């Protein structure tokens, strides 16, 4: 029988690389946890209708990329392709918005699923860390989220990313622009699918990556010229707050993002070292989403950053994260009595907060020392029969190669002191 392989478009996270993923999740969420965002976890699947309504019937995510399934009980579910609709659904269901403490600020971290053509940086199973601020219309909130994402990337040492910023207008001015854009687009030379898109979601046509389409869009009406006064003032305030915070951004008229629910502020983080899959994260304001999924009016803003692509961005910039050692002390017993004693020492070290590991299984000294080397431990403790008789253990500094006997009674204190 053939052995199994991970499904197409997926990959396994394995040590030691998996430690980098954990560190990236940690780094992205740290600024959020420090800014009043509470952790939320929602199911990996939802009713398909939530995404159809919440993400939008005309989006690639819903029309092409969703993993849907019918349960034995006849429910139509979908593996979650993104986080916002689920988080808002959960917040509404739990009435978090009625607790009198708006905005409700939440962050999440997890797996997302999209049936895409797999490429480097584009997978069918990937990870995001996201943040949503629900129930407040305040340019400072939009700015806060962009600033926190910038802080997260910088804390990882990344510098090769850019922030693209745009405003999509609101329910006053967007429809006027939409019509002007449709009139313009209908005269262009486009394929049938794109023609259909003009009628359903014309802004998405601006997002078309094909060069022959982009060439025809040069003279397209600009949303900026259609923004109503309220949207104009709002956008100017977001920009001023970013500038005051020292966060550089680029205005990008073409940035409409893939989802239907965005209003006003939209932004994307792109990294120039990633080739075609350059977006490491994105987000925006979604003032209409709550009503679209049956809730009250709750203007909100959020983002999701891709963990996989952030790791690729680190690689592209040649950044190695300074991670705490997985093992600081590796214990090598020789003989049964030494084994019992050293196992106790390892347990004590661990309880004292020292990362310690042990040579398990029946192994000779040579094999055990190989394990010790591989573990990356700073110190190896060897306990042989003669040591035992003398009441000492040999502590080897793996960096200098120096080895010294340490009395067994002082072993834990000695190692703990050396490592802290
Ligand atoms: P793209 O334009 O590359 O398809 P997107 O606009 O579909 O990206 P979002 O829905 O905004 O992406 O998701 C936020 C982030 O999640 C992206 O910026 C990216 O880093 C990550 N992401 C999205 N889809 C994938 C995927 N299939 N594989 C890996 N990461 C992904
Ligand atoms: Mg996509």
């Amino acid at each position: 029988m053939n052995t199994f392989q991970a499904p197409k478009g997926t990959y396994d996270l394995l040590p030691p690389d998996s430690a980098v993923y954990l560190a990236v999740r940690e780094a992205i969420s740290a600024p959020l946890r420090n800014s009043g965002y509470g952790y939320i976890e929602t199911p990996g699947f939802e009713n398909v209708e939530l995404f159809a309504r919440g993400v939008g019937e005309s989006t690639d995510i819903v029309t092409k990329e969703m993993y849907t399934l019918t349960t034995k009980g006849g429910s139509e579910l979908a593996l979650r392709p993104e986080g916002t609709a689920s988080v808002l659904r959960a917040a509404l269901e739990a009435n978090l918005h009625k607790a009198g403490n708006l905005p409700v600020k939440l962050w999440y971290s997890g797996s997302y699923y999209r049936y895409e053509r797999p490429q480097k940086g584009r997978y069918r199973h990937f990870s995001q860390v996201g943040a949503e601020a629900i129930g407040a219309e305040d340019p400072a909130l939009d700015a806060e989220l962009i600033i926190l994402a910038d802080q997260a990337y910088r804390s990882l040492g990344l510098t090769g990313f850019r922030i693209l910023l745009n405003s999509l207008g609101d329910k006053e001015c967007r429809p006027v622009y939409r019509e002007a854009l449709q009139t313009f687009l209908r005269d262009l030379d486009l394929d049938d699918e794109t023609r259909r898109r003009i009628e359903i979601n014309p802004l998405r046509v601006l997002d078309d990556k094909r060069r022959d389409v982009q060439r025809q869009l040069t003279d397209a009406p600009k949303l900026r010229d259609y923004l109503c006064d309220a949207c104009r003032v709002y956008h100017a305030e977001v920009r001023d707050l970013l500038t005051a915070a020292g966060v550089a951004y680029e205005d990008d008229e073409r940035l409409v993002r893939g989802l239907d629910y965005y209003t006003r502020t939209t932004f994307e983080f792109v990294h120039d070292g990633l080739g075609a899959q350059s977006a490491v994260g994105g987000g925006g304001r979604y003032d209409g989403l709550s009503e679209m999924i049956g809730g009250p009016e709750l203007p909100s803003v959020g983002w999701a950053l891709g963990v996989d692509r952030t790791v690729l961005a680190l690689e592209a910039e040649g950044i190695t994260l300074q991670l705490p050692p997985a093992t600081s002390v590796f214990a090598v017993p020789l003989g049964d009595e030494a084994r019992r004693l050293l196992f106790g020492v390892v347990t004590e070290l661990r309880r004292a907060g020292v990362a310690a590991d042990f040579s398990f299984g029946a192994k000779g000294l040579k094999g055990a020392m190989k394990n010790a080397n591989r573990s990356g431990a700073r110190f190896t403790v060897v306990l042989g029969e003669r040591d035992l008789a003398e009441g000492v253990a040999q502590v080897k500094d793996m960096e200098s190669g120096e080895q010294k006997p340490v009395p067994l009674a002082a072993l834990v204190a000695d190692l703990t002191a050396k490592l802290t």
Side-chain angles (χ1 to χ4, degrees), residues 114 116 121-123 126 128 257 279-281 304 306 309:
R114 294 185 194 175
E116 305 212 57
R122 187 175 299 287
Y123 311 105
F126 59 98
Q128 292 183 336
R257 310 260 316 128
V280 286
R309 288 187 197 171

Side-chain angles (χ1 to χ4, degrees), residues 94 152 158 281 343:
L158 289 169
F343 189 72

Side-chain angles (χ1 to χ4, degrees), residues 169 182 217 337:
Q182 279 175 325
L217 295 174
E337 201 186 331

